[in-house]
């Protein structure tokens, strides 16, 4: 009965979504306040109904209701509770239900926190958002019903894919979905503005918080997915240029460009046409990622292998929304008035350069990801585009971004002074040059250009705070005055500095971990030892353990440094009995910012254990950098200037003797 309630709640949510997609937009056209006012209640009702449906599916998983096809195919009664819950979105049908839930949540947030938005714009935004909900609710109900029943329920389920039975996968998909779906708000604001034919600085300020929220969660989702692949797959890598990984990277790159473009539009009312286009394309790339993952056009460790017919349905959704929005854009763009002119050397100029290279990098990833799929679809020929292509195209395109990033905040709007900006970065330049020389002189091995990578990373980290130092008059005023000025800076200034520094921290981790890692692939018998990066790792034997729904063979390793036991590692291989699937579980020891990584291969007949042991210097900086970027996004969101909607005018006029200061 609970499953039927969940199913009918989805049907009712579809009905409300249809009403929300029609009535408010029509009300805005005929200026009917009552019809426009229906948008918010309909958004709240849609969220409540989809939440009921999601709760019903979660209940079915937690109670192991094997009368549902979805639960049978993705759960098992012996599975730990956390994986029963995460199993709700660890499959095609459940993850789509989570998708529409987040979509409805964003609509409700606009309805609740957008009280200061112009009435017509709010009605249009919620109406456009509802059309996306209609499309995906129809897709769920017609092709991917999570509440389909079995006539004869089995006694036991088939279990969740063992790769997904991990805490990281309980967190990673929801974070990614908030990022993917969050960009739908930028899309809805862009389409609503095109419908109204009005795109201005106020629009840019309204769209920035939603874009920033989506970017923040997508950053965390990508980082979590990277760390999951690093420790769970047993390969020891953090990025493989897998098509599904690229599917999340592309909207992140485009969304980053959108954030910077919206800043220019808000401050100078320039780049209107470009900003609106980025808002449309960023969500289009999110939909493209959904198509890649669910269409069955590729095989990946984290793609949903489903009926290609579902992929056709998603492709239709993609074509309708992207094609329709671009057609509207082509119709309206010529009428959008551009803002003020700016010199090439200015903050606007630096942000435009940033946009060009970010979008070029996104285009390179797009081509490398889709070209093999398109070629196979047209000619049947299969080719592989791997890391060499992406490393040789993406890396050089991101290099100018890292170089320009510290300069932009030090340049004035409209016309900047390059010499002054360069002077403000002298400290960062000195740190970068000294670090490059020290690494080149004292660190042995690694690629020739690796020291330059370290220098660039430190330049980005130190340079990120150059604007803070400039505005706080560091070393030019008393320490107390500098602290007072720094504390008075808006949180967005600190947020931008922290996010930019996070990029440098991640780059430093990538360079160090890839350039100077040490690896040993060996077979050890009990009592034998292998040395790597100054550590002695001895093999102490193999033991068996029984898990809740798996059997585990564990290799026991002792790690010594200078004769003293530093830690113990226990890499293992698990056999999940329900699916008879064998899985490698790595073991990781962290020493400062570096890690020692061990994985074990299949058992050998001579009693030796096949081991892969890797020392990865500064590898944790890759994910610490992502956390810093996300914290920077949080600080920027906390800025009072990013409140949703226009500020209300004060009811009490200021005295004539104390006029309001100009901003």
């Amino acid at each position: 009965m609970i499953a039927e309630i969940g199913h009918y709640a989805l049907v009712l949510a579809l009905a409300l979504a249809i009403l929300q997609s029609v009535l408010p937009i029509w009300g805005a056209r005929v200026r009917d306040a009552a019809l426009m006012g229906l948008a918010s209640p309909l958004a709240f009702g849609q969220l409540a109904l989809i939440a009921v449906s999601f709760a019903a599916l979660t209940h079915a998983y937690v109670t192991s209701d094997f009368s549902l096809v979805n639960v049978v195919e993705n759960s098992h009664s012996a599975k730990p509770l956390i994986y029963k819950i995460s199993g709700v979105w660890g499959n095609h049908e459940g993850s789509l239900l989570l998708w529409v839930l987040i979509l409805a949540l964003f609509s409700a947030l606009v309805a609740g926190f957008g009280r200061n938005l112009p009435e017509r714009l709010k009605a249009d935004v919620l109406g456009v958002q509802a059309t996306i909900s209609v499309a995906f609710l129809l897709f769920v109900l017609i092709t991917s019903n999570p509440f389909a029943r079995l006539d004869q329920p089995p006694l036991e389920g088939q279990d969740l894919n063992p790769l997904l039975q991990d805490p990281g996968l309980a967190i990673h998909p929801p974070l990614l979905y908030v990022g993917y779906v969050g960009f739908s708000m930028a899309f809805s604001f862009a389409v609503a503005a095109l419908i109204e034919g009005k795109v201005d600085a106020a629009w840019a300020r309204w769209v920035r918080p939603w874009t920033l929220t989506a970017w923040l969660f997508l950053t965390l989702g990508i980082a979590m997915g990277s760390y999951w692949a690093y420790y769970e797959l047993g390969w020891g890598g953090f990025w493989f240029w897998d098509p599904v990984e690229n599917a999340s990277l592309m909207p992140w790159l485009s969304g980053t460009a959108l954030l910077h473009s919206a800043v220019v539009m808000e401050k100078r009312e320039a780049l209107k046409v470009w900003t609106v286009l980025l808002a449309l394309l960023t969500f289009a790339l999110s939909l493209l990622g959904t198509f890649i993952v669910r269409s069955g056009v590729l095989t990946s460790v984290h793609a949903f292998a489903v009926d290609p017919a579902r992929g056709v349905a998603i492709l239709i959704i993609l074509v309708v929304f992207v094609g329709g929005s671009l057609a509207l854009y082509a119709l309206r763009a010529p009428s959008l008035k551009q803002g003020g002119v700016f010199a090439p050397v200015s903050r606007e100029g630096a942000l435009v350069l940033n946009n060009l290279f970010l979008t070029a990098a996104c285009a390179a990833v797009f081509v490398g990801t889709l070209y093999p799929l398109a070629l196979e679809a047209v000619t049947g020929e299969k080719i592989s585009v791997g890391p060499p292509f992406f490393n040789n195209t993406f890396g050089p395109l991101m290099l100018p971004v890292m170089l320009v990033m510290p300069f932009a905040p030090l340049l004035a709007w409209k016309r900047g002074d390059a010499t002054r900006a360069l002077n403000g970065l002298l400290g960062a330049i000195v740190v970068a040059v000294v670090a490059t020389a020290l690494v080149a002189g004292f660190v042995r091995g690694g690629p020739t250009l690796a020291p330059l990578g370290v220098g660039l990373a430190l330049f980005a980290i130190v340079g990120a705070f150059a604007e803070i130092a400039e505005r706080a008059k560091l070393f030019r005023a008393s320490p107390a005055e500098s602290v007072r000025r720094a504390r008075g800076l808006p949180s967005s200034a600190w947020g931008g500095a922290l996010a930019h520094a996070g990029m440098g921290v991640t780059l430093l981790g990538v360079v160090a971990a890839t350039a100077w890692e040490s690896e040993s692939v060996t077979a050890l018998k009990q009592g034998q030892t292998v040395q790597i990066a100054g550590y002695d790792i001895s093999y102490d034997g193999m033991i068996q353990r029984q898990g809740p729904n798996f059997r585990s063979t564990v290799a026991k390793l002792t790690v010594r440094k200078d004769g003293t036991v530093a830690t113990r590692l226990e890499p293992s291989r698990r056999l999940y009995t329900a699916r008879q699937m064998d899985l490698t579980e790595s073991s990781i020891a962290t020493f400062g910012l570096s890690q020692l990584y061990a994985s074990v291969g299949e058992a050998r007949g001579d009693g030796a254990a096949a081991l892969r042991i890797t020392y990865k210097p500064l590898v944790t900086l890759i994910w610490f950098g992502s956390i810093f970027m996300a914290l920077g996004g949080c600080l920027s969101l906390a800025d009072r200037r990013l409140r949703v909607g226009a500020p209300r005018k004060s009811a009490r006029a200021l005295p004539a003797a104390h006029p309001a200061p100009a901003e």
Side-chain angles (χ1 to χ4, degrees):
M1 182 63 184
I2 292 179
E4 279 69 31
I5 291 174
H7 181 254
Y8 289 123
L10 277 183
V11 175
L12 291 175
L14 173 62
L16 293 188
I18 293 172
L19 292 175
Q20 184 184 331
S21 66
V22 175
L23 297 181
I25 293 179
W26 176 251
R29 306 284 75 73
V30 299
R31 300 185 181 276
D32 188 321
L35 290 178
M36 289 189 287
L38 289 175
S40 293
L42 289 171
F44 292 136
Q46 187 187 155
L47 173 62
L49 288 168
I50 297 176
V52 167
S53 181
F54 190 82
L57 185 60
T58 304
H59 178 270
Y61 269 84
V62 171
T63 60
S64 297
D65 182 359
F66 296 126
S67 67
L68 295 185
V69 177
N70 187 260
V71 180
V72 170
E73 293 177 347
N74 299 282
S75 193
H76 191 280
S77 59
K79 193 169 62 173
L81 178 61
I82 184 175
Y83 303 135
K84 287 184 178 180
I85 296 173
S86 64
V88 176
W89 54 81
N91 60 88
H92 170 74
E93 293 83 2
S95 63
L96 270 178
L97 186 57
L98 178 62
W99 176 285
V100 295
L101 176 64
I102 296 171
L103 198 61
L105 175 62
F106 272 98
S107 289
L109 288 174
V110 172
F113 293 99
R115 291 185 295 272
N116 295 337
L117 288 172
E119 196 173 17
R120 283 167 60 91
L121 177 65
K122 182 179 178 181
D124 286 335
V125 168
L126 290 177
V128 173
Q129 190 77 357
T131 61
I132 304 173
S133 294
V134 169
F136 278 94
L137 284 168
L138 281 172
F139 180 63
V140 170
L141 289 169
I142 295 174
T143 73
S144 310
N145 181 13
F147 299 104
R149 291 279 193 183
L150 284 170
D151 293 334
Q152 296 181 338
L155 295 176
E156 194 53 83
Q158 300 172 13
D159 206 1
L160 180 66
N161 185 338
L163 283 171
L164 305 181
Q165 294 188 41
D166 182 85
L169 263 292
I171 304 169
H172 165 57
L175 291 175
L176 270 187
Y177 290 172
V178 174
Y180 279 148
V181 179
F183 284 128
S184 68
M185 290 311 311
F187 175 87
S188 296
F189 268 95
V191 172
L194 291 173
I195 292 173
E196 290 290 323
K198 182 181 180 182
V199 181
D200 53 18
W203 176 87
R205 178 169 293 191
W206 292 325
V207 81
R208 275 182 65 200
W210 305 107
T211 304
L212 188 56
T213 300
W215 178 89
L216 186 161
F217 279 95
L218 188 57
T219 300
L220 290 175
I222 292 173
M224 187 71 253
S226 167
Y227 193 64
W228 167 78
Y230 170 70
Y231 72 78
E232 178 65 20
L233 298 182
W235 303 339
F238 53 87
W239 196 262
F240 304 96
W241 294 108
D242 182 279
V244 179
E245 291 177 325
N246 296 346
S248 62
L249 180 61
M250 287 187 288
W252 186 88
L253 291 168
S254 180
T256 304
L258 172 59
L259 280 174
H260 291 86
S261 181
V263 171
V264 176
M265 185 175 164
E266 180 184 344
K267 296 292 184 181
R268 300 280 299 144
E269 289 208 32
L271 305 183
K272 290 182 180 180
V273 174
W274 176 243
T275 304
V276 172
L277 180 61
L278 278 177
L280 300 178
L281 293 181
T282 300
F283 183 58
L285 290 171
S286 295
L287 291 178
L288 179 65
T290 305
F291 169 72
I292 289 175
V293 171
R294 301 169 191 278
S295 61
V297 299
L298 57 86
T299 301
S300 168
V301 295
H302 37 355
F304 293 104
V306 298
D307 182 356
R310 293 172 172 174
V312 173
I314 296 177
L315 186 60
I316 292 173
I317 294 174
L318 178 65
V319 170
V320 169
F321 281 96
V322 177
S325 63
L326 290 179
L328 180 61
Y329 172 81
L331 182 66
R332 292 289 197 180
S335 64
L336 298 179
K337 296 181 180 179
Q338 293 300 317
V341 179
F342 52 86
V345 180
S346 62
R347 188 175 297 193
E348 297 98 318
L351 292 174
V352 168
L353 189 64
N354 164 291
N355 262 234
L356 289 175
F357 281 102
L358 282 172
T359 51
C362 182
V365 177
F366 180 88
V367 171
T369 303
L370 292 190
Y371 176 71
L373 304 179
L375 183 66
E376 183 180 355
V378 174
T379 67
E381 180 183 356
K382 291 187 177 182
I383 65 169
S384 175
V385 177
F389 168 82
F390 292 106
N391 292 338
N392 291 327
T393 55
F394 183 79
L397 286 171
M398 290 301 291
L399 177 63
V401 174
M402 301 300 294
L403 285 171
V404 172
M405 192 169 62
F407 278 95
L410 294 173
L411 294 171
W413 293 103
K414 192 174 181 180
R415 183 180 298 276
D417 186 339
T419 303
R420 182 177 178 183
L422 195 61
N423 289 335
L425 289 171
L426 280 179
I429 294 171
V430 170
V431 169
V433 171
V434 171
T436 302
L438 289 175
V439 172
F442 294 98
V443 179
R444 295 290 177 261
T448 305
L449 296 179
L452 290 176
V454 172
L456 177 61
L458 291 175
F459 172 70
I461 295 169
V462 178
F465 295 98
E467 184 197 17
I468 300 291
E470 176 73 18
R471 296 174 69 174
K473 293 188 175 181
L474 189 64
F475 305 126
R476 294 183 290 117
S478 67
E481 174 65 12
S482 294
V483 170
R484 186 190 67 80
R485 294 176 68 90
R487 291 179 62 182
L489 292 176
S491 60
S492 59
W494 285 100
L498 191 59
H500 289 171
M503 286 281 290
V505 171
T506 293
L507 175 61
L508 182 58
V510 169
V511 171
T514 55
W516 295 294
E517 76 172 14
S518 304
E519 183 175 80
S520 175
V521 179
T522 184
L524 298 180
K525 292 186 177 181
Q526 188 168 347
Q528 290 184 327
T529 299
V530 64
Q531 189 176 71
I532 182 170
Y535 293 93
D536 296 311
I537 299 99
S538 58
Y539 172 53
D540 301 329
M542 202 80 74
I543 61 172
Q544 302 292 323
R545 288 178 182 164
Q546 180 65 47
N549 59 337
F550 61 85
R551 292 193 302 270
S552 185
T553 302
V554 183
K556 297 183 71 66
L557 306 174
T558 300
V559 180
R560 292 178 174 87
K561 179 77 171 178
D562 300 326
T564 303
V565 175
T567 188
R568 286 181 170 82
L569 297 173
E570 294 188 347
S572 65
R573 294 188 70 86
R574 292 180 178 178
L575 177 63
Y576 286 81
T577 53
R579 294 202 177 201
Q580 288 297 299
M581 184 172 176
D582 196 29
L583 191 65
T584 299
E585 289 288 326
S586 62
S587 182
I588 300 173
T590 302
F591 301 98
L593 297 173
S594 305
Q595 289 186 333
L596 196 63
Y597 181 103
S599 60
V600 61
E602 294 182 3
R604 292 163 52 105
D606 58 0
L611 297 168
R612 178 178 183 173
I613 303 171
T614 311
Y615 178 73
K616 295 179 175 291
L618 305 183
V619 69
T620 56
L621 291 181
I622 296 172
W623 302 290
F624 278 128
S626 300
I627 293 172
F628 292 153
M629 283 186 263
L631 288 175
C634 290
L635 282 175
S636 296
L637 272 177
D639 197 304
R640 63 181 180 84
R641 294 177 299 176
L642 286 186
R643 292 173 184 166
V644 178
R648 294 183 183 274
K649 294 182 179 180
S650 174
R652 181 170 57 89
L654 290 171
H658 303 283
E663 294 187 358

